[in-house]
Amino acid sequence: MLEQLKKYWAKVSEHPFLKHLFIIVCVLLVLGVATHLLLLLGTRHSAHRTVPDLTGIPLEEALGEARRQGLEIIVNDSLYVPAYDGGVVLDQLPEKGVGVKPGRTVYVTINSYRQKMVTVPYVAGRSLRQAKNMLEVAGLGIEQIVYRPDLATNYVLEEYADGKRISEKSRVQLEAGSGVTLYVGESG
């Protein structure tokens, strides 16, 4: 067999074009095999983990479970849902049961420990309609409207939050979703 290969190589060597073509094909073949093997190692093609269900458990437990599975957790967002305790995982991506490679990051949304605080906008001197829009944009609502006799019908005369009068310079903060009390003018 070795003798046949030597004879074949001698014939190919007589033609420089065939000799160089053969060398090029061999080099490309070796490079292709090496690249394939390196990609298998680099991408950990055969390794995988199943993403556990992290929803409904505290973040500390979720971190431990992820570590045991060879995964990482990043808190992507937080929401406030009163039905859950603070720090509980509400959502995750990738979802439970998905096969991923070790070291993959799982992005989670957790429940905030308290509602987001927002600054109460000053709405006195505006129409009731404008005041309502400004409060909604801020993430607040109207808890109560108290009408007082005044020439400025449907205009906000005063504004109170948590029993404190709001002025232009006030920096009162309330939980998002809370309401304010508005004193509104009404012609008698």
Side-chain angles (χ1 to χ4, degrees):
M1 172 97 167
L2 192 59
E3 286 299 318
Q4 285 179 335
L5 285 174
K6 285 183 181 179
K7 286 181 186 178
Y8 181 72
W9 181 248
K11 283 185 180 182
V12 169
S13 294
E14 292 173 8
H15 305 291
F17 175 76
L18 290 177
K19 178 181 172 183
H20 290 110
L21 183 64
F22 181 77
I23 291 171
I24 290 170
V25 168
C26 288
V27 167
L28 288 175
L29 188 63
V30 168
L31 285 175
V33 169
T35 302
H36 177 70
L37 292 174
L38 287 173
L39 281 174
L40 285 177
L41 286 174
T43 60
R44 299 175 289 183
H45 186 68
S46 60
H48 79 283
R49 302 281 190 270
T50 302
V51 177
D53 184 10
L54 303 174
T55 58
I57 62 174
L59 182 60
E60 295 77 28
E61 286 181 36
L63 288 167
E65 180 63 27
R67 256 186 254 117
R68 282 190 290 281
Q69 296 289 335
L71 303 171
E72 294 181 35
I73 286 186
I74 291 182
V75 177
N76 191 33
D77 198 2
S78 65
L79 301 171
Y80 181 71
V81 180
Y84 292 101
D85 292 333
V88 170
V89 176
L90 299 173
D91 193 23
Q92 70 183 61
L93 190 68
E95 307 254 335
K96 68 176 179 174
V98 174
V100 296
K101 294 182 180 169
R104 170 77 188 261
T105 301
V106 178
Y107 296 95
V108 297
T109 300
I110 64 167
N111 194 37
S112 293
Y113 288 92
R114 65 179 207 168
Q115 179 65 283
K116 179 176 130 182
M117 300 299 282
V118 295
T119 302
V120 178
Y122 179 68
V123 297
R126 300 186 187 276
S127 71
L128 180 58
R129 186 180 195 173
Q130 287 176 313
K132 183 178 179 185
N133 285 338
M134 288 175 68
L135 290 168
E136 284 178 0
V137 167
L140 299 169
I142 298 173
E143 181 180 326
Q144 182 180 13
I145 298 175
V146 179
Y147 289 97
R148 284 191 181 160
D150 197 274
L151 292 176
T153 302
N154 282 331
Y155 273 82
V156 178
L157 305 172
E158 294 178 356
E159 170 185 15
Y160 287 84
D162 272 348
K164 299 174 192 166
R165 186 173 180 182
I166 305 299
S167 68
E168 289 186 69
K169 296 179 182 177
S170 296
R171 295 289 171 249
V172 175
Q173 298 247 317
L174 291 178
E175 287 185 353
S178 297
V180 298
T181 300
L182 300 178
Y183 287 84
V184 178
E186 176 180 56
S187 63

